[in-house]
Amino acid sequence: MPKLSCFKAYDIRGRLGEELNEEIAYRIGRAYAELTKAKTVVVGGDVRLSSESLKFALSRGLQAGGVDVLDIGASGTEEVYFATFHLGLDGGIEVTASHNPIDYNGMKLVQKGARPISGDTGLKEIQKLAELNAFSPLEHRSTSCYKKISTMTAYIDHLMSYITPAHFTMPLKLVVNSGNGAAGPVIDMLENRFNTLKMPLTLIKMHHQADGTFPNGIPNPLLPERRQATSDAVRAEGADMGIAFDGDFDRCFFFDHRGQFIEGYYMVGLLAEAFLQKEQGARIIHDPRLSWNTIDTVKAYGGKAVMSRTGHAFLKERMRSEDAIYGGEMSAHHYFRDFAYCDSGMIPWLLIAELLCVKGQKLQQLVEERMAAYPVSGEINCQLANPTQAIERVRAAYQPNALSVDETDGISMEFKDWRFNLRSSNTEPVVRLNVESRANKALLDEKTAEILTLLNAR
């Protein structure tokens, strides 16, 4: 029984050819059908050149398992989430490799209610069934159907429900970088809606046309080298803000009017503030990598901050159990209760644009005080031969003087004026470090250098 290496902790990702191909996609569809017993499933795919053929093979596998397939075409991951919960379907699958290299593809799977299917909730079982490739015959075989549909209008209606058009009282010029990914058609539809409602928004669209060859590079604004084009355009256009997406636009990234990239950590605090002004006392979910700013903001606005393990499956589970109104990760994943507790890359920038108008301030003004209060290292990835030993060196050095130690996700240690989180990757020999301090950039730099020295000691 050959093992399928494309199955990861939260989703499916693999190099095209041996790791993921049409035959494997068919088996995944067949396995999904057998495990979930779904009657109707929605499928979509990003703009990669391989996505359409993989999606069709996946659909054939679903149909062979007795599932009716609704295909929404080229789409972002959140469009599959939306169609799943909006139409009350049994599940959904998006064919996407998001920000992975061009020779990769993958899938993100959900069940009824857009609940994620990950390693703890069925993905391992789907893997085993796909590896065995020996499926049970259907007891009552009937002809399943394949149908192309669109939920775009309903999706745009839902996105617009998060903002109040009357709040947009001042003109805003926004640079929007779709990265030649799947975001472009949604941006066009939103622009049409803005114009119909006479909202004074001007969108400067760049890298807008979908192109699976990604002529401007794989869209992943977490990488500094993928930020420059957006930053330059904001300055050249005199824009109020810049927004950039990854390939399947489940993440969005922000630039202020100077073209300065704003760390996702500070956007979590800003969005938490926006929601708590609408629903005081609400719960806000955050990840443990960087937390002081979020906790401080949530407390100041009368909410309750709740920590979750990093990763979309864990965040969504905690969102549901706490009935949280909003959850955010520093990696630019933002989760919304009214979006079936799922992550969206479109909702955040609409809310932030509204906030700029309501407060009459620039994005820089909204975050600069928080950035000074809690400076951060940014996530630093260290490739190490033995991550476990490296982490233990850091633990031994700092734990005796730590005020608190938390192992929700890796190791988090807090001291009077600084804290850090150190965690291993699930898939590669990489350790990820995040450090923050209380208004002390020199201390931040000192402690970051100390930990990096310990990690790299031989």
Side-chain angles (χ1 to χ4, degrees), residues 36 100 238 338 350 403 424:
T36 65
N100 286 102
D338 294 342
L350 292 172
L403 299 178
S424 290

Side-chain angles (χ1 to χ4, degrees), residues 185-367:
V186 178
I187 296 300
D188 289 340
M189 288 285 286
L190 284 169
E191 183 180 42
N192 290 339
R193 190 67 62 90
F194 299 155
N195 292 337
T196 298
L197 295 170
K198 295 182 168 47
M199 296 167 63
L201 287 169
T202 300
L203 304 187
I204 309 298
K205 295 180 278 190
M206 59 181 297
H207 303 170
H208 187 68
Q209 297 303 316
D211 187 338
T213 67
F214 297 114
N216 297 291
I218 299 295
N220 182 15
L222 267 184
L223 301 176
E225 62 268 26
R226 291 287 179 261
R227 301 172 187 166
Q228 195 63 48
T230 309
S231 180
D232 290 345
V234 169
R235 290 194 295 269
E237 296 287 345
D240 296 289
M241 184 170 70
I243 302 124
F245 299 99
D246 62 2
D248 61 336
F249 69 86
D250 60 349
R251 297 179 299 158
C252 72
F253 303 82
F254 293 87
F255 299 76
D256 68 18
H257 71 286
R258 306 165 302 169
Q260 182 70 39
F261 178 80
I262 306 298
E263 290 283 351
Y265 176 42
Y266 303 111
M267 302 310 299
V268 172
L270 202 54
L271 286 165
E273 174 188 336
F275 276 103
L276 288 169
Q277 288 179 330
K278 297 179 181 182
E279 186 177 315
Q280 191 167 15
R283 287 174 167 81
I284 304 294
I285 309 299
H286 63 92
D287 67 291
R289 290 172 286 183
L290 296 169
S291 61
W292 275 350
N293 177 61
T294 305
I295 293 168
D296 188 31
T297 301
V298 171
K299 184 178 179 180
Y301 285 89
K304 181 181 178 182
V306 180
M307 187 170 67
S308 166
R309 284 183 66 186
T310 302
H312 80 97
F314 299 116
L315 260 291
K316 290 171 184 174
E317 181 182 356
R318 197 63 189 267
M319 287 278 292
R320 290 177 185 276
S321 67
E322 298 284 345
D323 193 30
I325 191 170
Y326 164 72
E329 293 182 279
M330 55 162 283
S331 56
H333 283 284
H334 301 278
Y335 306 82
F336 304 90
R337 181 176 65 196
D338 294 342
F339 201 64
Y341 305 99
C342 291
D343 42 333
S344 165
M346 287 292 164
I347 297 170
W349 74 265
L350 292 172
L351 288 167
I352 297 300
E354 181 181 42
L355 199 60
L356 296 186
C357 291
V358 169
K359 295 208 169 193
Q361 293 180 295
K362 300 287 191 183
L363 179 57
Q364 174 202 0
Q365 294 172 292
L366 294 178
V367 297

Side-chain angles (χ1 to χ4, degrees), residues 394 398 411-413 415 418-422 433-435 451:
V394 175
Y398 289 103
I411 302 173
S412 296
M413 291 191 191
F415 307 85
W418 71 287
R419 67 179 295 276
F420 73 88
N421 174 265
L422 195 58
L433 171 67
N434 283 280
V435 187
I451 295 173

